[in-house]
DNA sequence: TTGTATGCGTTATCAA
DNA sequence: TTGATAACGCATACAA
């Protein structure tokens, strides 16, 4: 391990003060052009690299953004990360990423680590079983900006970036109704989580708006896994009269439903129409292609980091306590478009 | 922004020296049990948090691992990230992640950032158009461990974690041959990249081992995108005699091929059998389900970080200059299993 | 078992 | 436009 070059070495080399070297390297306006040039040249020639720790220690700023995500390996979350990384990188911020693995205890530990790492700001999508957000209290009390996205806590007033899940689910359900569906199942995720709670609401509101009473046995709460899809289909097939539409709260589970339904000899969409949520690439692979709500993950990541950085730079005047809602739209594909005769039969 | 508590504050509070506080917090053995307890209690009560920068500045170590990845939002890479994060987190390391976006220039910039961030070690999967690895020279000369995974450079002797792509491709091609295929196309990625180069080799070797001459027009070099799959299929359908097997270097493109083939009325696998690479979840969604080489991304991520940390801790004696090869196996599904009569017809 | 003194590399403050 | 000095918070060599 050879010796690291410091601004003192450069200063000595050029017979100027370390202060001037520091200023020169940081492009301070009050430094003579030619001096600045000499400094840059010497730095490059001597193989200098700035020491971020010394700088951070002094400036009390890390240029680092923390991210706590439930699971990295999902299409949605990895798209979000990609968007976040792009903006952060362009703005000169580092991204420290950790996963809670859908476990509140891990999330608490991660939050502590992020706090100790002194991130300038934190982006969080909460774990499946996170009950409260006390573990983020240190961030609030220290005034470190904290921004939730996608899975956001309900009870606290905190900045969050979301889509309008109620509206999106309302559209999805309405679409099924317009296709002639009369007995629509909703396969939902954990109702404690805002996104699934809201999707359920949107489903109910849509039924209500069409003067259809929602039935408890038509609402199936699951973990949205593949297995859950198969099990839900079993239940559905035993119902009499048989449901004619399913709105599933994510694509993975919706695809699993379609596979199970096809195996049981059910025609999709004519016997049962299916709509998913997320617009993952698999929607275009399953047959029939899955109608789904487009969820702009990449864009959400971009917006999240941009908002945070704007706040850190003091650019955004708006209070940090608010909600940013991204647009989402229903992408209609074959899995939900009943043929006219099917519609007629149902009518 | 209230004042941060430091070890000096704790020391003053307890009327002991900062040195003892520092030792106590770090669980130094030579500190009185009760003193230690007092220190911990005071720290907790006063809301102390250690300052990693001051500590790093002193220790010249960051407990941070850098990762440069081509694109975050692919099934394979996000699985790798998930595995990396898990191990790093458990070992108390932070992960700084950046994407090259398949662009050598970005990769160079990222490498510089990682270097300036003084990561303890770096994990890299190189970009599509990375021609050389001069930009990692600073790491080599400073003795910072650098470990390549998946996409590894060829010309330099450097530590890398890979699967045996030649062997895997050999198995895949042999499987097609055993199904009775006689005219097997290989849709490949950029030949400059080790993984695609090796898969091509494995394909050629397998043909050779069955005394079949490989034909240049049967090897289609693409970017493995969906579009590339469609275009390749157009070419294939114009060939006379028509090929009866396709080995594609990734699943995404393989799925796109299957879709295009089906649209053209080709029966899979009986007219043309298809094998992919990666064993992405989509292999189980496309119909027929896609035969593919299982590529253990999560495991690769775990192994990569574990190796790096072992080296950093001085646990592993083995030279850092070597190669770790993970196992991979062929997962046979419907897309390649010709029915007996199809096999017979071909025989 | 505890304490004193010092340095890690940078930047803010004040002065020139 | 430049410089001297101190401070950021911690960990360690050395001393007690």
């Amino acid at each position: 391990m050879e010796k690291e070059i410091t601004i003192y070495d450069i200063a000595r080399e050029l017979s100027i003060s370390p202060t001037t070297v520091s200023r020169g390297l940081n492009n301070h306006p009050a430094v003579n052009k030619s001096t600045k040039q000499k400094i840059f040249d010497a730095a490059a020639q001597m193989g200098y690299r700035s020491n971020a720790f010394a700088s951070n220690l002094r400036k009390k700023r890390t240029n680092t953004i923390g991210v706590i995500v439930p699971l990295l390996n999902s299409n949605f979350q990895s798209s979000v990360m990609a968007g976040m990384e792009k903006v952060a990188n362009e703005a000169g911020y580092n991204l420290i990423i950790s996963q809670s693995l859908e476990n509140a205890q891990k999330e608490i530990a991660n939050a502590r680590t992020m706090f100790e790492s002194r991130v300038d700001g934190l982006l969080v999508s909460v774990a499946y079983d996170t009950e409260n957000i006390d573990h983020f209290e240190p961030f609030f009390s220290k005034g470190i900006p904290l921004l939730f996205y996608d899975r956001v806590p309900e009870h606290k007033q905190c900045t969050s970036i979301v889509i309008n899940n109620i509206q999106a689910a309302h559209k999805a359900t309405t679409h099924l109704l317009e296709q002639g569906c009369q007995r629509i199942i909703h396969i939902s995720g954990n109702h404690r989580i805002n996104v699934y709670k809201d999707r359920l609401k949107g489903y109910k509101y849509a039924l209500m708006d069409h003067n259809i009473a929602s039935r408890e046995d038509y609402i199936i709460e699951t973990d949205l896994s593949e297995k859950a899809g198969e099990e839900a289909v079993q239940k559905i097939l035993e119902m009499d009269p048989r449901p004619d539409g399913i709105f599933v709260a994510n694509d993975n589970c919706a695809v699993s439903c379609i596979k199970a339904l096809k195996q049981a000899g059910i025609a999709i969409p004519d016997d049962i129409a299916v709509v998913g949520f997320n617009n993952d690439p698999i929607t275009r692979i399953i047959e029939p292609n899955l109608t789904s709500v487009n969820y702009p993950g990449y864009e959400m990541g971009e917006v999240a980091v941009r908002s945070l950085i704007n706040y850190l730079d003091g650019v955004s005047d708006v209070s940090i306590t608010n909600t940013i809602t991204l647009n989402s739209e229903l992408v209609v594909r074959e899995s939900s478009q009943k043929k006219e005769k099917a519609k007629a039969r149902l009518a």
Side-chain angles (χ1 to χ4, degrees), chain A residues 4-50:
Chain A
E4 290 280 350
I5 304 297
T6 73
I7 53 173
Y8 286 94
D9 299 317
I10 300 178
R12 201 176 321 111
E13 182 76 16
L14 299 178
S15 302
I16 57 179
S17 79
T19 307
T20 303
V21 175
S22 172
R23 284 203 269 255
L25 291 171
N26 289 302
N27 246 314
H28 190 104
V31 174
N32 189 304
K33 266 242 170 191
S34 72
T35 313
K36 207 180 280 185
Q37 193 54 51
K38 270 188 235 157
I39 294 171
F40 278 124
D41 291 347
Q45 189 260 313
M46 299 171 73
Y48 167 82
R49 61 169 172 168
S50 109

Side-chain angles (χ1 to χ4, degrees), chain A residues 52 55 92 99 105 126 133 135 151 155-156 160 171 178 209 278 298 305 311 313 326 346:
Chain A
S55 174
Q99 338 181 58
Q105 285 311 311
V126 301
I133 54 171
H135 45 301
R151 302 251 205 97
H155 33 309
K156 276 252 183 177
S160 47
K171 270 192 223 167
E178 285 168 358
D209 291 346
N278 274 10
Y298 192 89
V305 171
Y311 177 80
D313 292 350
L326 300 184
L346 285 162

Side-chain angles (χ1 to χ4, degrees), chain A residues 19-295:
Chain A
T19 307
T20 303
V21 175
S22 172
R23 284 203 269 255
L25 291 171
N26 289 302
N27 246 314
H28 190 104
V31 174
N32 189 304
K33 266 242 170 191
S34 72
T35 313
K36 207 180 280 185
Q37 193 54 51
K38 270 188 235 157
I39 294 171
F40 278 124
D41 291 347
Q45 189 260 313
M46 299 171 73
Y48 167 82
R49 61 169 172 168
S50 109
N51 185 324
F53 303 112
S55 174
N56 288 337
L57 179 59
R58 199 51 242 246
K59 291 193 297 188
K60 296 171 180 271
R61 196 159 177 211
T62 68
N63 256 49
T64 294
I65 294 173
V67 185
I68 301 179
V69 62
L71 282 169
L72 276 168
N73 48 344
S74 81
N75 180 268
F76 172 71
Q77 288 291 359
S78 63
S79 300
V80 174
M81 291 304 111
M84 286 182 175
E85 197 280 337
K86 176 153 175 293
V87 177
N89 197 314
E90 285 170 1
Y93 280 82
N94 281 334
L95 222 51
I96 296 187
I97 298 176
S98 73
Q99 338 181 58
S100 62
L101 301 175
E102 297 286 15
N103 175 329
Q105 285 311 311
K106 282 269 296 174
E107 183 177 297
I108 292 171
N110 289 343
R112 190 200 317 280
T113 304
M114 292 295 178
F115 189 66
E116 306 251 309
S117 298
R118 280 176 162 67
V119 293
D120 288 338
L122 186 63
L123 302 169
V124 180
S125 192
V126 301
Y128 215 81
D129 63 348
T130 294
E131 301 257 3
N132 63 60
I133 54 171
D134 296 347
H135 45 301
F136 296 117
E137 197 46 55
F139 291 87
F140 293 128
S141 61
K142 273 256 157 33
I144 300 166
L146 173 52
L147 208 149
F148 294 94
Y149 68 91
D150 184 47
R151 302 251 205 97
V152 309
E154 297 248 281
H155 33 309
K156 276 252 183 177
Q157 275 289 91
C158 44
T159 307
S160 47
I161 300 185
V162 293
I163 62 164
N164 189 330
N165 283 285
I166 299 181
Q167 190 184 69
H170 190 286
K171 270 192 223 167
T173 309
T174 301
H175 166 70
L176 284 173
L177 289 166
E178 285 168 358
Q179 293 299 309
C181 295
Q182 307 199 321
R183 293 175 299 281
I184 303 175
I185 300 282
H186 177 44
I187 300 182
S188 164
N190 186 331
H191 291 174
R192 283 212 327 272
I193 296 184
N194 64 307
V195 292
Y196 305 122
K197 189 186 220 165
D198 284 353
R199 288 170 201 179
L200 172 58
K201 268 191 202 160
Y203 159 83
K204 283 184 175 173
Y205 292 167
L207 294 183
M208 199 185 307
D209 291 346
H210 284 70
N211 300 311
I212 298 180
S214 64
R215 297 169 43 162
E216 279 309 310
D217 60 328
Y218 275 13
I219 298 165
I220 307 180
E221 183 174 353
T222 74
D223 62 0
L224 294 175
S225 64
E226 286 181 38
K227 189 147 165 292
E230 292 162 16
E231 290 168 358
V233 164
Q234 287 320 308
K235 275 194 209 165
I236 290 167
L237 293 180
E238 284 165 13
M239 292 180 179
D240 184 23
R242 190 199 284 153
D244 50 14
I246 310 180
F247 167 44
V248 192
N250 84 9
D251 285 338
N252 249 329
C253 188
V255 163
S256 151
C257 286
I258 291 182
K259 285 167 74 173
L261 287 169
K262 281 167 72 174
Q263 199 146 32
I266 306 291
I268 300 170
D270 290 345
D271 292 341
I272 299 184
V274 181
V275 173
F277 209 106
N278 274 10
N279 202 25
D280 283 349
I282 52 171
T283 57
R284 276 144 282 160
I285 293 172
I286 187 73
E287 289 183 19
N289 281 191
L290 178 62
T291 295
S292 187
V293 174
N294 184 44
Y295 200 150

